[in-house]
Amino acid sequence: ATWFHFVVKKVAQYMADVLEDSRDKVQENLLANGVDLVTYITRFQWDMAKYPIKQSLKNISEIISKQITQIDNDLKSRASAYNNLKGNLQNLERKNAGSLLTRSLADIVKKEDFVLDSEYLITLLVVVPKTGYTDWQKVYETLAEMVVPRSSNLLYEDNDSGLFSVTLFRKAIDDFKHKARENKFTVRDFQYNEEEMKADKEEMNRLSTDKKKQFGPLVRWLKVNFSEAFIAWIHIKALRVFVESVLRYGLPVNFQAMLLQPNKKTMKRLREVLNELYKHLDSSAAAIIDSAMDIPGLNLSQQEYYPYVYYKIDCNLLDFKV
């Protein structure tokens, strides 16, 4: 049952990841048979159509197991495809964000900012700290021989720096770069290529469109399959209660399953009351509980054992609060 719970939780968590900025709406999408989870559990009825009780317990268990395995496999392949698409888009978006020292300059510069197709002249792009604007204007023409006078223009600025263009003779590039570095000016390695820039823009538009196209069907799939997985998990819980009760109390079947939803403050008191009511069913369990109550701080955790059959249903399926 732990694995079933893990798959249910995985579907819920991935839905939150896919919803991104709208993840606060994830809870309203986590439904079972169209109702919230607590309502589904409190009104639980065995689904005879999906899991016919005329079949053996083993067959029913295998049907549910196959169903959950299929959901898990489908989730892996769908998540992989969507994550790849999202990752590629984020990489392109990252290129167009951040500092002028590292970000793509393709969406900042224009064709007219450059001297193009010249055998002798070239336009360089230089990142200058805002505190160094005055120094730049004073010295850029002297950083190397053959810098075209008054050729520098401020093309763009962010919070820390400005992007300046400067035109010079090709043979002076190395000298200029060296002197610029000494003066704490950074020459960006950039060549204006319209076709490459157009291809990058088209790729980003394509990825963005693909992501939007896949988003709706993926969320619908997650909603449907979360419901299916949750329902299957609760049926497994019901199956376990039945099997454990028969193993403990024998045949003919003479027991009643109940659902209790106490708050944390009343948990201890509830255990005491239940133990008092049912300790006659299993004296060894009652003895274990009595000894545990005498030892403060003892946590029975996975070894929890009571004179009645007990299974916990954890409906907190997300790793964050909404």
Side-chain angles (χ1 to χ4, degrees):
T2 307
W3 176 69
F4 292 96
H5 181 229
F6 172 71
V7 174
V8 172
K9 197 164 180 174
K10 200 157 75 163
V11 177
Q13 195 62 48
Y14 192 63
M15 192 190 294
D17 294 345
V18 168
L19 289 173
E20 294 178 27
D21 295 339
S22 306
R23 59 168 43 203
D24 56 328
K25 293 190 168 60
V26 69
Q27 210 70 57
E28 63 199 56
N29 288 296
L30 297 179
L31 304 174
N33 262 1
V35 296
D36 68 83
L37 307 184
V38 172
T39 302
Y40 174 79
I41 296 166
T42 51
R43 295 179 188 169
F44 174 76
Q45 285 186 311
W46 189 269
D47 191 327
M48 301 288 189
K50 269 188 190 168
Y51 314 116
I53 54 171
K54 286 181 181 176
Q55 298 213 30
S56 69
L57 293 176
K58 188 183 177 196
N59 281 0
I60 294 171
S61 177
E62 282 174 359
I63 290 168
I64 297 174
S65 192
K66 278 179 187 168
Q67 187 189 3
I68 292 285
T69 302
Q70 188 62 52
I71 289 171
D72 191 34
N73 290 340
D74 286 355
L75 176 64
K76 281 173 190 166
S77 61
R78 286 169 189 267
S80 175
Y82 189 75
N83 290 347
N84 282 342
L85 180 62
K86 188 174 158 185
N88 291 338
L89 182 59
Q90 282 173 339
N91 286 339
L92 278 179
E93 285 171 345
R94 217 172 280 125
K95 280 185 185 175
N96 292 328
S99 158
L100 278 171
L101 293 166
T102 53
R103 63 161 290 167
S104 167
L105 304 176
D107 61 331
I108 291 174
V109 296
K110 298 187 281 293
K111 192 175 182 179
E112 52 266 31
D113 295 327
F114 296 83
V115 173
L116 299 170
D117 306 320
S118 167
E119 191 180 340
Y120 301 106
L121 294 173
I122 186 169
T123 301
L124 298 180
L125 299 177
V126 185
V127 179
V128 178
K130 280 192 171 175
T131 52
Y133 280 12
T134 308
D135 290 344
W136 168 256
Q137 294 296 350
K138 277 183 192 168
V139 304
Y140 81 87
E141 292 177 7
T142 63
L143 292 176
E145 292 181 3
M146 303 188 197
V147 175
V148 176
R150 285 179 284 182
S151 63
S152 180
N153 293 300
L154 176 62
L155 307 180
Y156 180 87
E157 55 185 348
D158 62 16
N159 292 336
D160 306 309
S161 313
L163 185 71
F164 287 82
S165 62
V166 60
T167 302
L168 56 146
F169 278 73
R170 288 181 181 273
K171 61 167 75 171
I173 289 176
D174 289 342
D175 279 350
F176 185 88
K177 283 183 175 179
H178 178 68
K179 284 280 171 43
R181 198 159 47 242
E182 284 181 357
N183 283 272
K184 296 190 169 52
F185 307 135
T186 307
V187 179
R188 286 292 307 267
D189 188 14
F190 180 85
Q191 286 183 319
Y192 187 86
N193 184 319
E194 215 153 14
E195 284 181 12
E196 266 183 33
M197 286 157 66
K198 189 182 172 191
D200 278 355
K201 200 167 187 181
E202 283 173 356
E203 175 69 355
M204 186 177 260
N205 289 338
R206 183 187 70 76
L207 290 170
S208 184
T209 304
D210 283 356
K211 188 186 168 199
K212 281 174 190 164
K213 273 186 193 167
Q214 287 191 26
F215 176 81
L218 180 59
V219 170
R220 280 193 292 279
W221 184 90
L222 288 165
K223 283 170 76 168
V224 168
N225 284 275
F226 171 80
S227 177
E228 291 294 309
F230 186 85
I231 289 167
W233 176 50
I234 298 303
H235 277 76
I236 279 287
K237 286 278 187 190
L239 204 61
R240 288 187 70 183
V241 168
F242 177 82
V243 171
E244 180 74 12
S245 300
V246 170
L247 289 172
R248 285 229 210 159
Y249 310 124
L251 292 169
V253 170
N254 181 23
F255 53 80
Q256 174 67 49
M258 303 291 289
L259 193 70
L260 299 174
Q261 192 184 9
N263 60 44
K264 278 188 178 178
K265 288 179 182 175
T266 57
M267 277 284 288
K268 192 179 175 202
R269 178 68 188 133
L270 176 63
R271 287 279 184 224
E272 288 167 0
V273 170
L274 289 173
N275 185 45
E276 203 55 44
L277 282 170
Y278 300 115
K279 65 182 178 184
H280 65 282
L281 295 173
D282 189 337
S283 55
S284 60
I288 291 168
I289 290 162
D290 287 340
S291 64
M293 285 177 177
D294 292 338
I295 308 169
L298 178 65
N299 182 5
L300 294 173
S301 64
Q302 296 304 312
Q303 277 69 50
E304 283 179 343
Y305 187 77
Y306 304 98
Y308 47 88
V309 174
Y310 160 75
Y311 286 107
K312 183 179 176 183
I313 299 174
D314 181 9
C315 286
N316 182 22
L317 300 166
L318 299 169
D319 293 333
F320 60 92
K321 296 222 183 317
V322 291

